[in-house]
């Protein structure tokens, strides 16, 4: 009932020429995908990728968005700029932005509101650090991160949002949450949304898993009932790997 969504997060990788080459290699490999396919690319690659994906089933995403419409915010991009450039999805609150660039739950909320208002679909990242899991705070933390991020959206808007559960300890480490851990925590996120906004909303929102997802572990993760897709870092940088993740059900 929820259409799976597999998104690549290229992070700070690929020049425009490299981006074009990767997308051109990817297009034929994912054209039969049953999942929604997204690539979230560095801002300078947006134009090249938009041209390269024309006529394909690949959707274009960005990796961040500012919350103001315009103004003196050197280095930032507004939601309207991204929208006009052809972007459909935008990652918000990735743990690398929280860790290295001072992103907070409050700014994640502001960015989410700005993205939705401009017609972009946010991919909101939540997840615990290793010490938070070990201390038993995972559920409370992801509930809090999720509900703050969504605060101020309507129920219909929330239904269209994508959430990515990315345990920080599993990102780029080769460590993956077990299928059961990922399923359980995503279930906790969905239940929190359902408690606040109703079951219909909780059942509609798509929640991805992210953190060392790859061709080997994708099948097990995607077999879990709560997991609606993946946000893929390292394995999204090679067309054969990413296409195998996208085609996990083939
Ligand atoms: P890796 O797949 O490289 O662990 O990265 C996950 C991630 O952070 C996606 O946003």
């Amino acid at each position: 009932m929820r259409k799976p969504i597999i998104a690549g997060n290229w992070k700070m990788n690929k020049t425009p020429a490299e981006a074009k080459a990767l997308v051109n290699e990817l297009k034929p490999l994912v054209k039969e995908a049953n999942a929604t396919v997204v690539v979230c690319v560095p801002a300078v690659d947006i134009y090249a990728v938009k041209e390269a994906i024309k006529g394909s089933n690949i959707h274009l995403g960005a990796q961040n968005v500012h919350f103001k419409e315009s103004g003196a915010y050197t280095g930032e991009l507004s939601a309207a700029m991204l929208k006009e450039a052809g972007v459909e999805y935008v990652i918000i609150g990735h743990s690398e932005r929280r860790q290295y660039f001072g992103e907070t739950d409050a700014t994640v909320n502001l960015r989410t509101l700005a993205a939705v208002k401009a017609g972009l679909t946010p991919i909101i990242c939540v997840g615990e650090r290793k010490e938070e899991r070990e201390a038993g705070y995972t559920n409370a933390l992801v509930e809090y991160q999720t509900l703050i991020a969504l605060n101020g959206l309507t129920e219909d808007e929330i239904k269209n949002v994508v959430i990515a559960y990315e345990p920080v300890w599993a990102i780029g480490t080769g460590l993956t949450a077990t299928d059961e851990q990922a399923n359980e925590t995503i279930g906790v996120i969905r239940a929190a949304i359902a408690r606040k906004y109703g079951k219909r909303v909780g059942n509609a929102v798509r929640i991805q898993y992210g953190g060392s997802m790859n061709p080997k572990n994708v099948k097990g993760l995607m077999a879990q009932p709560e997991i609606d897709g993946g946000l893929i870092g390292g394995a999204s940088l090679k067309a054969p790997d990413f296409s195998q993740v996208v085609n996990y059900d083939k």
Side-chain angles (χ1 to χ4, degrees):
M1 153 198 76
R2 294 184 296 266
K3 183 171 179 178
I5 175 166
I6 305 282
N9 174 9
W10 290 2
K11 307 191 180 183
M12 195 174 75
N13 293 288
K14 306 292 175 187
T15 67
E18 291 166 348
K20 184 177 164 191
L22 174 54
V23 167
N24 281 334
E25 193 185 346
L26 195 59
K27 275 192 292 190
L29 301 177
V30 301
K31 68 176 195 299
E32 309 288 344
N34 293 315
T36 304
V37 185
V38 185
V39 288
C40 298
V41 308
V44 291
D45 296 345
I46 286 172
Y47 182 74
V49 172
K50 184 190 164 208
E51 292 299 305
I53 61 176
K54 271 191 186 147
S56 81
N57 60 332
I58 301 175
H59 297 266
L60 178 57
Q63 298 177 8
N64 196 15
V65 59
H66 198 260
F67 37 87
K68 296 284 191 178
E69 285 180 10
S70 63
Y73 302 99
T74 302
E76 294 295 316
L77 299 170
S78 75
M81 290 172 186
L82 294 175
K83 180 80 182 166
E84 193 176 316
V87 168
E88 294 174 78
Y89 294 84
V90 60
I91 296 172
I92 296 177
H94 191 279
S95 67
E96 286 149 17
R97 296 225 55 94
R98 295 179 191 254
Q99 183 178 350
Y100 305 129
F101 302 102
E103 190 77 60
T104 66
D105 291 317
T107 53
V108 169
N109 175 238
L110 291 172
R111 291 182 209 280
T112 300
L113 294 172
V116 170
K117 192 168 162 212
L120 298 169
T121 299
I123 301 176
I124 302 164
C125 301
V126 302
E128 81 288 1
R129 296 193 301 257
K130 183 163 169 273
E131 56 274 25
E132 292 162 339
R133 176 165 282 270
E134 286 167 358
Y137 294 141
T138 299
N139 293 358
L141 189 87
V142 296
E143 285 182 15
Y144 177 87
Q145 289 176 329
T146 303
L147 293 179
I148 294 204
L150 299 177
N151 196 33
L153 295 181
T154 67
E155 290 177 7
D156 281 338
E157 287 168 340
I158 293 171
K159 280 194 211 156
N160 292 315
V161 156
V162 178
I163 293 171
Y165 167 56
E166 299 207 306
V168 178
W169 48 271
I171 294 177
T173 57
L175 293 173
T176 326
T178 64
D179 300 346
E180 292 74 23
Q181 275 175 332
N183 189 62
E184 182 189 341
T185 308
I186 289 177
V188 165
I189 294 168
R190 192 180 307 288
I193 296 171
R195 270 200 306 281
K196 175 130 192 225
Y197 298 101
K199 267 218 164 75
R200 268 183 336 113
V201 180
N203 284 336
V205 63
R206 293 189 288 179
I207 310 181
Q208 301 170 310
Y209 168 77
S212 301
M213 204 180 201
N214 60 43
K216 288 206 180 79
N217 58 29
V218 63
K219 272 195 168 58
L221 288 159
M222 290 303 293
Q224 297 292 323
E226 296 289 355
I227 303 181
D228 303 321
L231 186 56
I232 325 297
S236 73
L237 298 174
K238 294 202 175 95
D241 288 358
F242 188 57
S243 64
Q244 280 184 60
V245 175
V246 165
N247 293 317
Y248 68 90
D249 56 343
K250 303 245 178 346

